[in-house]
Amino acid sequence: MTDTLSTAATPELDENALLAAYRTMRTIRAFEERLHEEFATGEIPGFVHLYAGEEASATGVCSHLDERDSIASTHRGHGHCIAKGVDVLAMMAEIYGRSTGSCHGKGGSMHIADLAKGMLGANGIVGGGPPLICGAALAAKQQRSGGVGVAFFGDGASNQGTTLEALNLASVWELPAIFVAENNGYAEATASTWSVAADNIADRAAGFGMPGVIVDGFDFFAVYEAAGEAISRAREGGGPTLLEIKFTRYFGHFEGDQQSYRASEVAEARAKLDCLKRFRARVAETGQLEPARLNAVDAEVSALIDTAVREAKAAPKPTAADLETDVYVSY
Ligand SMILES: Cc1ncc(C[n+]2csc(CCOP(=O)(O)OP(=O)(O)O)c2C)c(N)n1
Ligand SMILES: [Mg+2]
């Protein structure tokens, strides 16, 4: 079953919930745009993959999650972390490789994890998240916690055996799992129209006996609605769902990517489809939020990101002795 959702009424999104969603999306955008600038100075070690343009996915899905729930992320994981409540200051410090970071500066952008927040980790292994989420969802099912597991993964990862095995297992075990395929059109420089052997990733859901839903990824409300339905079904014992969220990433595959494989789509998406602009237009149209309140959020977020960068740069780096800690779990 594959449905295409349009924006529909979401009455449970009251003023506070709307402001929180906007704040999350704005925080992700500001975090990523600032990293884009800071990476160019050469001060940030390792690889950085930016999530700008895709904010409505992490936010629309994670708005339904709480402390019972776990998510697994990807190499493009900052947005998932922020939406699941990982501390922004600690994230920035982690990306700068500082000992005040979420993983004491030993993981960097591609390995941010915060188990206390149910954020099981960004992941350098494409297709690494879906099997992890089968484990988390199985634990939630066995413990009857009411929790769900959500695996975010890309269009490239949708072709990995690990992802397909996880979809099968989740269905066979009737797991409270949600698979969120973030189709941003490319895996590195390879177009998903070329690499994905189906019109839509969501079409594959039928082969695993679960619902598949295509969602406009530039529309927070569409993601919120589709994710809400899938997560409720999972919590009530109705098994897994595959969501395909379609959008465009605003920056290159990684910072430094020359992007010779694509032309004008980003400028057009930013101008006409952008999730933040659309959110603002919609709440203005319905009269739910005054523009001044959203502008105030923008200002708060901007100050937060300034603080995050300033504190990260001033924080100490791990020492040689720190190499020997955080290697094994102590029981
Ligand atoms: C198992 C594995 N194969 C290949 C790579 C190299 N690699 C890193 S990101 C990437 C593309 C992933 O594309 P997609 O899943 O669409 O995610 P996106 O980058 O578009 O968010 C590849 C092939 C890897 N990290 N792991
Ligand atoms: Mg992709």
Side-chain angles (χ1 to χ4, degrees), residues 118-153:
M119 164 57 195
L120 303 186
N123 204 317
I125 307 298
V126 170
L132 276 180
I133 258 348
C134 284
L138 180 61
K141 183 174 178 172
Q142 296 294 95
Q143 291 163 353
R144 300 180 197 279
S145 68
V148 300
V150 178
F152 292 96
F153 57 98

mmCIF file of all heavy atoms in Angstrom, residues 118-153:
data_model
loop_
_atom_site.group_PDB
_atom_site.id
_atom_site.type_symbol
_atom_site.label_atom_id
_atom_site.label_comp_id
_atom_site.label_asym_id
_atom_site.label_seq_id
_atom_site.Cartn_x
_atom_site.Cartn_y
_atom_site.Cartn_z
ATOM 1 N N GLY A 118 18.259 8.273 24.052
ATOM 2 C CA GLY A 118 17.713 7.337 23.069
ATOM 3 C C GLY A 118 18.247 7.575 21.673
ATOM 4 O O GLY A 118 17.673 7.143 20.676
ATOM 5 N N MET A 119 19.379 8.259 21.596
ATOM 6 C CA MET A 119 20.018 8.508 20.297
ATOM 7 C C MET A 119 21.167 7.507 20.197
ATOM 8 O O MET A 119 22.214 7.668 20.823
ATOM 9 C CB MET A 119 20.515 9.966 20.264
ATOM 10 C CG MET A 119 21.506 10.285 19.178
ATOM 11 S SD MET A 119 20.861 9.920 17.559
ATOM 12 C CE MET A 119 22.362 9.967 16.614
ATOM 13 N N LEU A 120 20.915 6.428 19.447
ATOM 14 C CA LEU A 120 21.858 5.306 19.447
ATOM 15 C C LEU A 120 23.100 5.551 18.608
ATOM 16 O O LEU A 120 24.001 4.730 18.586
ATOM 17 C CB LEU A 120 21.158 4.028 18.964
ATOM 18 C CG LEU A 120 19.925 3.609 19.764
ATOM 19 C CD1 LEU A 120 19.411 2.253 19.289
ATOM 20 C CD2 LEU A 120 20.217 3.550 21.253
ATOM 21 N N GLY A 121 23.114 6.656 17.898
ATOM 22 C CA GLY A 121 24.353 7.002 17.218
ATOM 23 C C GLY A 121 24.184 7.386 15.772
ATOM 24 O O GLY A 121 23.382 6.807 15.037
ATOM 25 N N ALA A 122 24.977 8.404 15.387
ATOM 26 C CA ALA A 122 25.234 8.609 13.966
ATOM 27 C C ALA A 122 26.055 7.397 13.551
ATOM 28 O O ALA A 122 26.541 6.646 14.400
ATOM 29 C CB ALA A 122 25.996 9.907 13.769
ATOM 30 N N ASN A 123 26.207 7.178 12.255
ATOM 31 C CA ASN A 123 26.812 5.907 11.856
ATOM 32 C C ASN A 123 27.536 6.068 10.530
ATOM 33 O O ASN A 123 26.926 6.468 9.534
ATOM 34 C CB ASN A 123 25.691 4.861 11.723
ATOM 35 C CG ASN A 123 26.200 3.460 11.902
ATOM 36 O OD1 ASN A 123 27.259 3.134 11.372
ATOM 37 N ND2 ASN A 123 25.464 2.648 12.614
ATOM 38 N N GLY A 124 28.811 5.767 10.527
ATOM 39 C CA GLY A 124 29.589 5.871 9.291
ATOM 40 C C GLY A 124 29.328 4.721 8.337
ATOM 41 O O GLY A 124 29.761 4.754 7.187
ATOM 42 N N ILE A 125 28.618 3.712 8.810
ATOM 43 C CA ILE A 125 28.322 2.548 7.959
ATOM 44 C C ILE A 125 26.964 2.767 7.302
ATOM 45 O O ILE A 125 25.933 2.780 7.979
ATOM 46 C CB ILE A 125 28.277 1.233 8.780
ATOM 47 C CG1 ILE A 125 29.554 1.059 9.604
ATOM 48 C CG2 ILE A 125 28.031 0.046 7.863
ATOM 49 C CD1 ILE A 125 30.823 0.955 8.811
ATOM 50 N N VAL A 126 26.969 2.952 5.990
ATOM 51 C CA VAL A 126 25.705 3.169 5.274
ATOM 52 C C VAL A 126 24.858 1.893 5.391
ATOM 53 O O VAL A 126 25.302 0.811 5.015
ATOM 54 C CB VAL A 126 25.989 3.521 3.797
ATOM 55 C CG1 VAL A 126 24.701 3.500 2.980
ATOM 56 C CG2 VAL A 126 26.648 4.886 3.713
ATOM 57 N N GLY A 127 23.660 2.031 5.965
ATOM 58 C CA GLY A 127 22.803 0.856 6.210
ATOM 59 C C GLY A 127 23.070 0.240 7.572
ATOM 60 O O GLY A 127 22.536 -0.827 7.882
ATOM 61 N N GLY A 128 23.823 0.909 8.418
ATOM 62 C CA GLY A 128 24.128 0.373 9.750
ATOM 63 C C GLY A 128 22.982 0.525 10.738
ATOM 64 O O GLY A 128 22.866 -0.243 11.687
ATOM 65 N N GLY A 129 22.133 1.521 10.527
ATOM 66 C CA GLY A 129 21.088 1.842 11.508
ATOM 67 C C GLY A 129 19.906 0.881 11.553
ATOM 68 O O GLY A 129 19.460 0.517 12.645
ATOM 69 N N PRO A 130 19.362 0.458 10.403
ATOM 70 C CA PRO A 130 18.149 -0.371 10.460
ATOM 71 C C PRO A 130 18.291 -1.660 11.290
ATOM 72 O O PRO A 130 17.395 -1.949 12.108
ATOM 73 C CB PRO A 130 17.846 -0.644 8.968
ATOM 74 C CG PRO A 130 18.350 0.611 8.301
ATOM 75 C CD PRO A 130 19.622 0.947 9.039
ATOM 76 N N PRO A 131 19.378 -2.427 11.182
ATOM 77 C CA PRO A 131 19.478 -3.607 12.053
ATOM 78 C C PRO A 131 19.540 -3.244 13.537
ATOM 79 O O PRO A 131 18.947 -3.931 14.368
ATOM 80 C CB PRO A 131 20.795 -4.284 11.622
ATOM 81 C CG PRO A 131 21.073 -3.750 10.261
ATOM 82 C CD PRO A 131 20.506 -2.367 10.238
ATOM 83 N N LEU A 132 20.229 -2.130 13.852
ATOM 84 C CA LEU A 132 20.291 -1.688 15.253
ATOM 85 C C LEU A 132 18.897 -1.437 15.797
ATOM 86 O O LEU A 132 18.583 -1.762 16.941
ATOM 87 C CB LEU A 132 21.060 -0.360 15.362
ATOM 88 C CG LEU A 132 22.573 -0.367 15.433
ATOM 89 C CD1 LEU A 132 23.060 1.073 15.525
ATOM 90 C CD2 LEU A 132 23.023 -1.163 16.644
ATOM 91 N N ILE A 133 18.061 -0.832 14.955
ATOM 92 C CA ILE A 133 16.719 -0.471 15.405
ATOM 93 C C ILE A 133 15.854 -1.705 15.583
ATOM 94 O O ILE A 133 14.940 -1.713 16.419
ATOM 95 C CB ILE A 133 16.123 0.605 14.453
ATOM 96 C CG1 ILE A 133 16.197 1.998 15.062
ATOM 97 C CG2 ILE A 133 14.688 0.328 14.067
ATOM 98 C CD1 ILE A 133 16.524 2.243 16.455
ATOM 99 N N CYS A 134 16.130 -2.768 14.848
ATOM 100 C CA CYS A 134 15.403 -4.027 15.121
ATOM 101 C C CYS A 134 15.706 -4.479 16.548
ATOM 102 O O CYS A 134 14.809 -4.938 17.264
ATOM 103 C CB CYS A 134 15.814 -5.124 14.126
ATOM 104 S SG CYS A 134 15.071 -4.910 12.509
ATOM 105 N N GLY A 135 16.955 -4.339 16.975
ATOM 106 C CA GLY A 135 17.311 -4.719 18.348
ATOM 107 C C GLY A 135 16.602 -3.849 19.362
ATOM 108 O O GLY A 135 16.030 -4.346 20.340
ATOM 109 N N ALA A 136 16.616 -2.542 19.126
ATOM 110 C CA ALA A 136 15.971 -1.616 20.074
ATOM 111 C C ALA A 136 14.464 -1.870 20.124
ATOM 112 O O ALA A 136 13.848 -1.859 21.201
ATOM 113 C CB ALA A 136 16.253 -0.168 19.662
ATOM 114 N N ALA A 137 13.868 -2.103 18.965
ATOM 115 C CA ALA A 137 12.416 -2.331 18.919
ATOM 116 C C ALA A 137 12.067 -3.679 19.556
ATOM 117 O O ALA A 137 11.036 -3.807 20.234
ATOM 118 C CB ALA A 137 11.918 -2.272 17.473
ATOM 119 N N LEU A 138 12.913 -4.674 19.376
ATOM 120 C CA LEU A 138 12.668 -5.975 20.001
ATOM 121 C C LEU A 138 12.727 -5.831 21.526
ATOM 122 O O LEU A 138 11.885 -6.385 22.241
ATOM 123 C CB LEU A 138 13.702 -7.003 19.524
ATOM 124 C CG LEU A 138 13.560 -8.410 20.108
ATOM 125 C CD1 LEU A 138 12.208 -9.026 19.752
ATOM 126 C CD2 LEU A 138 14.702 -9.316 19.617
ATOM 127 N N ALA A 139 13.708 -5.066 22.013
ATOM 128 C CA ALA A 139 13.812 -4.848 23.462
ATOM 129 C C ALA A 139 12.548 -4.165 23.981
ATOM 130 O O ALA A 139 11.979 -4.559 24.999
ATOM 131 C CB ALA A 139 15.048 -4.008 23.780
ATOM 132 N N ALA A 140 12.087 -3.131 23.255
ATOM 133 C CA ALA A 140 10.874 -2.414 23.690
ATOM 134 C C ALA A 140 9.671 -3.358 23.707
ATOM 135 O O ALA A 140 8.846 -3.323 24.621
ATOM 136 C CB ALA A 140 10.612 -1.229 22.760
ATOM 137 N N LYS A 141 9.596 -4.227 22.709
ATOM 138 C CA LYS A 141 8.469 -5.164 22.633
ATOM 139 C C LYS A 141 8.511 -6.152 23.802
ATOM 140 O O LYS A 141 7.495 -6.379 24.468
ATOM 141 C CB LYS A 141 8.516 -5.911 21.293
ATOM 142 C CG LYS A 141 7.363 -6.850 21.097
ATOM 143 C CD LYS A 141 7.327 -7.475 19.712
ATOM 144 C CE LYS A 141 6.149 -8.452 19.638
ATOM 145 N NZ LYS A 141 5.929 -8.965 18.308
ATOM 146 N N GLN A 142 9.698 -6.709 24.039
ATOM 147 C CA GLN A 142 9.823 -7.713 25.105
ATOM 148 C C GLN A 142 9.551 -7.104 26.475
ATOM 149 O O GLN A 142 8.971 -7.736 27.332
ATOM 150 C CB GLN A 142 11.236 -8.316 25.105
ATOM 151 C CG GLN A 142 11.598 -9.090 23.847
ATOM 152 C CD GLN A 142 10.755 -10.342 23.679
ATOM 153 O OE1 GLN A 142 9.742 -10.310 22.988
ATOM 154 N NE2 GLN A 142 11.131 -11.436 24.301
ATOM 155 N N GLN A 143 10.021 -5.858 26.646
ATOM 156 C CA GLN A 143 9.853 -5.193 27.951
ATOM 157 C C GLN A 143 8.479 -4.546 28.092
ATOM 158 O O GLN A 143 8.162 -4.009 29.147
ATOM 159 C CB GLN A 143 10.943 -4.128 28.139
ATOM 160 C CG GLN A 143 12.330 -4.728 28.317
ATOM 161 C CD GLN A 143 13.451 -3.711 28.080
ATOM 162 O OE1 GLN A 143 13.197 -2.579 27.655
ATOM 163 N NE2 GLN A 143 14.681 -4.117 28.337
ATOM 164 N N ARG A 144 7.691 -4.574 27.018
ATOM 165 C CA ARG A 144 6.358 -3.947 26.997
ATOM 166 C C ARG A 144 6.415 -2.499 27.485
ATOM 167 O O ARG A 144 5.582 -2.040 28.269
ATOM 168 C CB ARG A 144 5.361 -4.728 27.863
ATOM 169 C CG ARG A 144 5.170 -6.156 27.419
ATOM 170 C CD ARG A 144 4.160 -6.862 28.318
ATOM 171 N NE ARG A 144 4.254 -8.305 28.170
ATOM 172 C CZ ARG A 144 3.690 -9.002 27.182
ATOM 173 N NH1 ARG A 144 2.987 -8.388 26.272
ATOM 174 N NH2 ARG A 144 3.839 -10.310 27.117
ATOM 175 N N SER A 145 7.426 -1.788 27.008
ATOM 176 C CA SER A 145 7.620 -0.402 27.465
ATOM 177 C C SER A 145 6.740 0.573 26.700
ATOM 178 O O SER A 145 6.599 1.734 27.094
ATOM 179 C CB SER A 145 9.082 0.004 27.274
ATOM 180 O OG SER A 145 9.371 0.090 25.883
ATOM 181 N N GLY A 146 6.175 0.124 25.594
ATOM 182 C CA GLY A 146 5.409 1.039 24.744
ATOM 183 C C GLY A 146 6.311 1.852 23.834
ATOM 184 O O GLY A 146 5.841 2.701 23.073
ATOM 185 N N GLY A 147 7.613 1.607 23.913
ATOM 186 C CA GLY A 147 8.571 2.359 23.109
ATOM 187 C C GLY A 147 8.634 1.860 21.667
ATOM 188 O O GLY A 147 8.195 0.753 21.350
ATOM 189 N N VAL A 148 9.165 2.712 20.814
ATOM 190 C CA VAL A 148 9.379 2.336 19.407
ATOM 191 C C VAL A 148 10.835 2.616 19.041
ATOM 192 O O VAL A 148 11.521 3.382 19.724
ATOM 193 C CB VAL A 148 8.464 3.125 18.443
ATOM 194 C CG1 VAL A 148 6.999 2.886 18.760
ATOM 195 C CG2 VAL A 148 8.784 4.626 18.464
ATOM 196 N N GLY A 149 11.276 2.006 17.964
ATOM 197 C CA GLY A 149 12.594 2.287 17.397
ATOM 198 C C GLY A 149 12.415 2.912 16.027
ATOM 199 O O GLY A 149 11.567 2.460 15.245
ATOM 200 N N VAL A 150 13.181 3.938 15.752
ATOM 201 C CA VAL A 150 13.094 4.609 14.446
ATOM 202 C C VAL A 150 14.463 4.598 13.790
ATOM 203 O O VAL A 150 15.439 5.082 14.374
ATOM 204 C CB VAL A 150 12.625 6.077 14.602
ATOM 205 C CG1 VAL A 150 12.600 6.767 13.238
ATOM 206 C CG2 VAL A 150 11.256 6.154 15.263
ATOM 207 N N ALA A 151 14.528 4.043 12.597
ATOM 208 C CA ALA A 151 15.785 4.058 11.837
ATOM 209 C C ALA A 151 15.672 5.084 10.719
ATOM 210 O O ALA A 151 14.804 4.974 9.850
ATOM 211 C CB ALA A 151 16.059 2.676 11.242
ATOM 212 N N PHE A 152 16.541 6.085 10.756
ATOM 213 C CA PHE A 152 16.656 7.019 9.639
ATOM 214 C C PHE A 152 17.751 6.478 8.721
ATOM 215 O O PHE A 152 18.813 6.066 9.203
ATOM 216 C CB PHE A 152 17.067 8.409 10.138
ATOM 217 C CG PHE A 152 16.012 9.110 10.947
ATOM 218 C CD1 PHE A 152 16.035 9.059 12.339
ATOM 219 C CD2 PHE A 152 15.007 9.838 10.330
ATOM 220 C CE1 PHE A 152 15.071 9.724 13.096
ATOM 221 C CE2 PHE A 152 14.035 10.504 11.083
ATOM 222 C CZ PHE A 152 14.070 10.450 12.465
ATOM 223 N N PHE A 153 17.533 6.496 7.429
ATOM 224 C CA PHE A 153 18.574 6.052 6.493
ATOM 225 C C PHE A 153 18.326 6.714 5.139
ATOM 226 O O PHE A 153 17.234 7.205 4.866
ATOM 227 C CB PHE A 153 18.608 4.524 6.371
ATOM 228 C CG PHE A 153 17.297 3.915 5.944
ATOM 229 C CD1 PHE A 153 17.073 3.572 4.618
ATOM 230 C CD2 PHE A 153 16.279 3.697 6.872
ATOM 231 C CE1 PHE A 153 15.858 3.021 4.213
ATOM 232 C CE2 PHE A 153 15.061 3.142 6.478
ATOM 233 C CZ PHE A 153 14.850 2.812 5.150
#
